[in-house]
Amino acid sequence: MKRRKRRLLKRSFCAGVVVVVVFLVVSAILFVWPRTDAPRKSDAIVVLGGAGARVAKGLKLAMDGYAPTLLISTPDPSACRYRITGVSIICFAPSPETTQGEARYVSKLAAERHWHQILVVSGTAQTLRARMRFDRCYSGTALFDPAAPGSVISWIHDVAYEWGALAKALTIQRGC
């Protein structure tokens, strides 16, 4: 009887290890090393959840001449005081204040301005879900060049958050 219990315990432990390893590998593929694009000349650069490294990357891409328009998603557009010669900067508060709201706003503006290609700066972990949201809303080409989070704690938080947000995008919020 003891031998059977030990065998069952050992198998359960091994199965648990396999599940954890598979979860970590899938998390890494989806959220740590998502499919990205090299930046190319575009109609606009879009910074999602504009703060910190994302805004810095968006500003650098604009200064490097990748697009004549820079859109920055921020909860307080009035606090947006960036200036780059030759670049139109538009700060906006999406409604709702989510990646879905950002994709809707950008897609509407892109249709009005006849943009065919945009360069999106998201968080690295957010890239897969942001790509899904823009694919659902935007009819042009969306390139993704994410900004990496600053610390291991940020990575862990972002990956945990993205699992829930991705599940929501795949089940509850399936449209644009």
Side-chain angles (χ1 to χ4, degrees):
M1 192 63 137
K2 281 187 173 188
R3 184 179 241 174
R4 188 180 296 167
K5 280 186 178 181
R6 266 191 252 152
R7 198 175 319 146
L8 181 60
L9 185 60
K10 186 176 179 180
R11 286 181 182 168
S12 297
F13 177 77
C14 289
V17 168
V18 167
V19 167
V20 168
V21 168
V22 167
F23 175 78
L24 292 174
V25 169
V26 170
S27 294
I29 291 167
L30 296 178
F31 308 122
V32 178
W33 297 295
R35 181 172 65 91
T36 61
D37 305 291
R40 294 194 308 255
K41 293 270 187 194
S42 298
D43 297 306
I45 299 163
V46 179
V47 177
L48 303 182
R54 295 178 196 188
V55 169
K57 185 162 195 167
L59 291 168
K60 177 155 181 13
L61 289 166
M63 286 186 270
D64 290 345
Y66 281 98
T69 304
L70 172 63
L71 282 83
I72 301 173
S73 172
T74 178
D76 184 11
S78 66
C80 188
R81 304 198 192 310
Y82 304 104
R83 303 283 178 262
I84 301 172
T85 304
V87 176
S88 170
I89 299 178
I90 301 168
C91 293
F92 67 99
S95 179
E97 288 185 22
T98 62
T99 306
Q100 183 180 40
E102 291 166 328
R104 287 175 179 168
Y105 178 89
V106 171
S107 298
K108 183 178 179 225
L109 189 60
E112 291 169 4
R113 296 187 176 203
H114 308 287
W115 292 341
H116 301 287
Q117 181 169 284
I118 59 174
L119 178 55
V120 180
V121 179
S122 63
T124 301
Q126 179 191 25
T127 302
L128 172 71
R129 184 172 50 88
R131 188 182 296 276
M132 182 186 322
R133 293 286 190 201
F134 277 85
D135 284 348
R136 291 175 180 172
C137 296
Y138 177 59
S139 61
T141 302
L143 306 172
F144 285 81
D145 188 20
S151 69
V152 172
I153 299 299
S154 294
W155 276 107
I156 293 168
H157 172 269
D158 291 354
V159 169
Y161 176 86
E162 284 304 321
W163 272 112
L166 181 62
K168 182 178 167 184
L170 290 170
T171 59
I172 299 169
Q173 297 177 338
R174 297 180 52 93
C176 175

